[in-house]
Amino acid sequence: MTIVLEPTGYLLAAATLLALSGVPGLLLRRPVFGQRIAAFCVVAASLLGEAAVAALLGGTPGATYQIDWPLPFGPALFSVDHLSAIFLFPLFIVTGCASVYAVAYWPAREQPTAGKLTMFQGLFAAAMVAVVLSRHGVLFLMAWEVMALSAYFLLTTEHRSAEVQRVGGVYLIATHTGTMALFAMFSLLRGTLGTFAFPGSHSLSQAVPFATIIIAAALIGFGGKAGLMPLHFWLPGAHANAPSHVSAMMSGLMLKMGVYGILRTLSFFDVLPAWLGWLMIVLGAWSAVNGIALAMGQRDLKRLLAYSSIENIGIIFIGIGLALVGIQTHSPTLVVCGFSGAFIHIVNHGLFKSLLFMGSGALIHGTGTREIDRMGGLARRMPITSLLFLVGSLAICGLPPLNGFVGELFLYVGAITDGIASPLPLAALVAPVLALVGGLAVITFVKLYGTIFLGAPRSAAASHSHEAKGLMTAPMVLLAVGCLVAGMVPPLLARLVAPVVVFYGGLDREAVARVIGQVPLVPLTGAAILLVILGAALGAFYLLRLRRLPCTRGTTWGCGYLEPTARMQYTGTSFSEMAVNLLGVLAAPRRVRPAIADESFPPTVRFHYAVTETVLDRVLTPLFRWTGLAFSYIRILQHGRLHIYVLYIFATLCVLMAWTH
């Protein structure tokens, strides 16, 4: 096979370099040197991959590569199109940033597992590139399994921890349950088409055998990987316990592989069932509202960010559902705004969520804890991390001038416009759902930022915290700049996703451009630039006044207390308690109240408060426990007596003979 310098060839070369990047760290005697070589290789592969994406978006077509392997499944196929580019664009940015970040966050001179981590990190990124490039069912499943297992080994880097072992086991069960659904889906496609090669876009009729089962299997297999509720139960623990730069890749990139799989599968069909769009809207709304409600009550920094990933995946599925409803109802506005909002949010979420997870790593590195309520006052001690974390928090709340606002704006415009024009404005209900999610997100991240960075330190670890190293803050600065640029110049994002909307929406370029023109992107650009200039001017004026005026320092007024302490501050739990109580059905808080002793000098007691994971803790764990108990009684049949086993076989044969007659 001859590889020429065109998009698919560039991407295959980048994937190969990523996969081999961790090999020097395993072979060289100096692990520090091997880790730096790996980081250099990953950055080079990321630049190569971004060059391929730029060439593809610039109009250079991607070739199809065929590999005649000896396996009896037909030739393997690689190719790339504009849908691939949407997912590859943030993939290479985040992967390159994570590799540089890891050099300082997980240094080889201090961590004996750095070689393993570096190896599987490159393999993880390469597998995701292969997933996006695969055009053959068996090849896709191979890349999918490499991605899943690499994520497991990355997640269980600190394998001596009992909690890490538990969440690793939950992740393996969840991911292989989804993979079984994908085996069924590709087997049914093979039986329908006679080949494992992907069918052409829009080439399958809805009337083909098992079409509904194929779509349902795709929703289960890919939806579980995306973290769509109720298949999300593996996600919070996995993201919370993985190294922070791995959490950034899992949340910002791997979840999108599930979204990609669903979109790729749906692109096979010319007409989709009418119920599918509404189902995606319902599942997306459920995930968005429930995800942010669960995030609001968390005390673990990374678990909170993990639940907010479920919220953002829900927003993406709301956009896809709106677009599918628009295709069914012949509404160009819904199609364009739905797809545009979903694709833009895919790119933006990869940027700001990776920034926040890397920021959480800097906080853990500086304080030694993930507990929000044990932090406080870190803005003075970690000013760079404080500013970068603020950028990510504003972006994830969907506030201008950051990029999180752009994708949601498309969804608002589509839902409201369709609601005015349609005689059955059910899609307009999306607008209040998005508004509710946005409001809860603001509460969540005001709590998060205020508790961590403002006030006084709540523990000795917080009072002795320190700023992150330059190799950790530099990738975060790059991601923060990306969030700011994308939010200030939203027409660039619209141009990025327009070719995909044209193809998957079944519309011509003029129709797509006409609908995008209805979204106020140019005024938004002007307002964003003006807002940034105004903020910079106010900041400069404040600093100038601060230097000129005499400055004294003292404690904050303690409300009349003679000896105020840090414990009198609002904690993250107390700040969000009222909102969590209002959403008690969704957030399911668990309280363990101490018994009050009727004594003159009562002993020390503790009050325990936690937000539980409903699906895992209240459904799946009891189900597995009772299933294990039931099978423990069946174990009586296994007593080790050979003649009794022969009797079992004889009885089984008798039953089968009687049944056949």
Side-chain angles (χ1 to χ4, degrees):
M1 181 179 63
T2 302
I3 298 180
V4 296
L5 294 181
E6 50 77 43
T8 310
Y10 270 82
L11 293 169
L12 288 174
T16 304
L17 189 56
L18 287 171
L20 299 177
S21 62
V23 174
L26 298 178
L27 300 179
L28 296 177
R29 293 185 178 180
R30 297 176 59 188
V32 175
F33 191 50
Q35 188 181 39
R36 291 176 179 175
I37 291 177
F40 176 80
C41 291
V42 171
V43 171
S46 299
L47 294 175
L48 191 63
E50 290 296 354
V53 172
L56 184 67
L57 296 175
T60 303
T64 299
Y65 290 87
Q66 176 176 312
I67 301 177
D68 294 323
W69 54 7
L71 300 178
F73 305 115
L77 300 172
F78 290 100
S79 188
V80 65
D81 57 12
H82 284 94
L83 179 64
S84 307
I86 293 297
F87 293 86
L88 290 171
F89 177 68
L91 191 153
F92 287 113
I93 294 176
V94 174
T95 299
C97 290
S99 66
V100 176
Y101 182 94
V103 174
Y105 180 73
W106 207 270
R109 67 170 58 90
E110 301 174 8
Q111 301 287 349
T113 57
K116 165 196 167 183
L117 185 69
T118 304
M119 176 67 192
F120 283 109
Q121 185 178 341
L123 200 58
F124 181 47
M128 287 190 284
V129 176
V131 164
V132 175
L133 296 182
S134 298
R135 296 296 183 268
H136 184 276
V138 176
L139 181 65
F140 184 95
L141 287 173
M142 288 180 176
W144 188 266
E145 188 66 9
V146 172
M147 176 188 73
L149 291 178
S150 298
Y152 169 76
F153 288 116
L154 291 170
L155 159 64
T156 56
T157 299
E158 297 180 285
H159 58 277
R160 297 184 185 276
S161 167
E163 175 67 13
V164 170
Q165 293 176 7
R166 188 186 75 85
V167 299
V170 171
Y171 168 78
L172 273 185
I173 294 173
T175 191
H176 284 107
T177 301
T179 302
M180 285 194 296
L182 298 185
F183 269 102
M185 184 196 81
F186 284 113
S187 298
L188 292 174
L189 281 174
R190 167 66 173 80
T192 301
L193 302 172
T195 177
F196 280 108
F198 285 3
S201 297
H202 310 305
S203 62
L204 285 183
S205 170
Q206 186 185 349
V208 299
F210 307 112
T212 301
I213 299 177
I214 290 172
I215 294 173
L219 285 177
I220 295 172
F222 293 123
K225 183 64 70 178
L228 191 67
M229 284 193 172
L231 305 173
H232 69 287
F233 55 89
W234 63 271
L235 190 153
H239 289 191
N241 288 278
S244 294
H245 62 291
V246 174
S247 301
M249 295 181 67
M250 292 178 69
S251 178
L253 304 178
M254 188 182 74
L255 299 186
K256 311 306 180 354
M257 295 297 105
V259 180
Y260 168 81
I262 291 177
L263 289 171
R264 181 62 70 187
T265 304
L266 297 183
S267 71
F268 298 157
F269 297 91
D270 58 349
V271 178
L272 293 170
W275 50 266
L276 184 59
W278 294 110
L279 176 63
M280 284 199 173
I281 290 177
V282 171
L283 292 177
W286 180 17
S287 299
V289 175
N290 212 358
I292 196 62
L294 288 167
M296 189 167 49
Q298 299 300 317
R299 294 182 299 174
D300 186 311
L301 168 59
K302 292 183 66 179
R303 190 173 285 270
L304 183 150
L305 295 177
Y307 276 112
S308 71
S309 295
I310 299 173
E311 171 229 341
N312 284 275
I313 289 295
I315 292 173
I316 292 169
F317 273 93
I318 287 175
I320 296 172
L322 283 177
L324 296 181
V325 170
I327 292 174
Q328 293 291 333
T329 59
H330 307 288
S331 172
T333 301
L334 270 187
V335 173
V336 175
C337 289
F339 273 141
S340 297
F343 292 141
I344 288 174
H345 208 72
I346 286 170
V347 175
N348 288 336
H349 179 257
L351 297 178
F352 61 66
K353 183 49 66 70
S354 300
L355 169 61
L356 287 171
F357 267 116
M358 291 184 190
S360 71
L363 293 171
I364 296 169
H365 189 268
T367 63
T369 181
R370 294 188 338 219
E371 288 291 327
I372 298 170
D373 292 345
R374 294 181 60 83
M375 299 183 188
L378 299 186
R380 179 178 298 174
R381 295 162 179 82
M382 304 176 67
I384 299 176
T385 301
S386 169
L387 179 60
L388 296 174
F389 205 92
L390 178 61
V391 171
S393 299
L394 293 175
I396 200 171
C397 291
L399 298 175
L402 279 306
N403 59 341
F405 176 72
V406 182
E408 295 185 26
L409 176 63
F410 274 91
L411 301 184
Y412 275 114
V413 170
I416 295 173
T417 303
D418 183 77
I420 296 174
S422 174
L424 189 63
L426 294 178
L429 297 177
V430 167
V433 171
L434 290 175
L436 173 62
V437 171
L440 295 178
V442 170
I443 294 175
T444 301
F445 283 90
V446 166
K447 154 199 160 174
L448 181 65
Y449 189 86
T451 306
I452 292 175
F453 293 103
L454 305 182
R458 295 176 175 82
S459 65
S463 62
H464 295 92
S465 60
H466 56 84
E467 186 59 90
K469 299 178 181 179
L471 285 178
M472 292 173 63
T473 56
M476 295 165 59
V477 169
L478 179 61
L479 292 171
V481 170
C483 293
L484 187 60
V485 171
M488 292 178 62
V489 195
L492 292 178
L493 293 174
R495 291 183 61 184
L496 175 69
V497 304
V500 194
V501 177
V502 169
F503 182 76
Y504 283 89
L507 302 171
D508 54 44
R509 294 182 179 274
E510 289 75 16
V512 172
R514 190 182 313 115
V515 174
I516 291 179
Q518 298 174 4
V519 182
L521 297 180
V522 175
L524 179 62
T525 301
I529 294 174
L530 183 62
L531 187 61
V532 170
I533 294 174
L534 181 61
L538 290 176
F541 176 74
Y542 172 76
L543 291 176
L544 184 62
R545 292 279 294 174
L546 197 63
R547 290 180 178 179
R548 290 182 176 179
L549 295 176
C551 182
T552 58
R553 293 189 178 186
T555 58
T556 306
W557 180 54
C559 303
Y561 289 99
L562 297 179
E563 295 185 7
T565 67
R567 296 183 61 187
M568 295 177 182
Q569 303 176 98
Y570 264 108
T571 62
T573 303
S574 60
F575 182 88
S576 60
E577 182 181 12
M578 181 181 294
V580 171
N581 290 338
L582 291 174
L583 298 170
V585 177
L586 300 177
R590 183 181 65 223
R591 300 175 177 86
V592 180
R593 294 182 172 88
I596 304 300
D598 187 12
E599 301 176 10
S600 300
F601 300 97
T604 301
V605 295
R606 294 180 64 86
F607 170 77
H608 180 73
Y609 174 93
V611 177
T612 60
E613 170 45 59
T614 307
V615 175
L616 180 61
D617 297 337
R618 300 194 176 187
V619 179
L620 293 179
T621 300
L623 177 62
F624 275 92
R625 186 181 298 116
W626 284 105
T627 302
L629 181 62
F631 277 105
S632 67
Y633 291 102
I634 302 176
R635 194 178 304 152
I636 300 173
L637 299 175
Q638 297 179 350
H639 40 64
R641 299 176 182 177
L642 184 61
H643 62 284
I644 301 295
Y645 291 160
V646 174
L647 181 62
Y648 291 163
I649 296 173
F650 178 74
T652 303
L653 290 174
C654 290
V655 171
L656 291 175
M657 291 174 64
W659 181 55
T660 54
H661 289 287

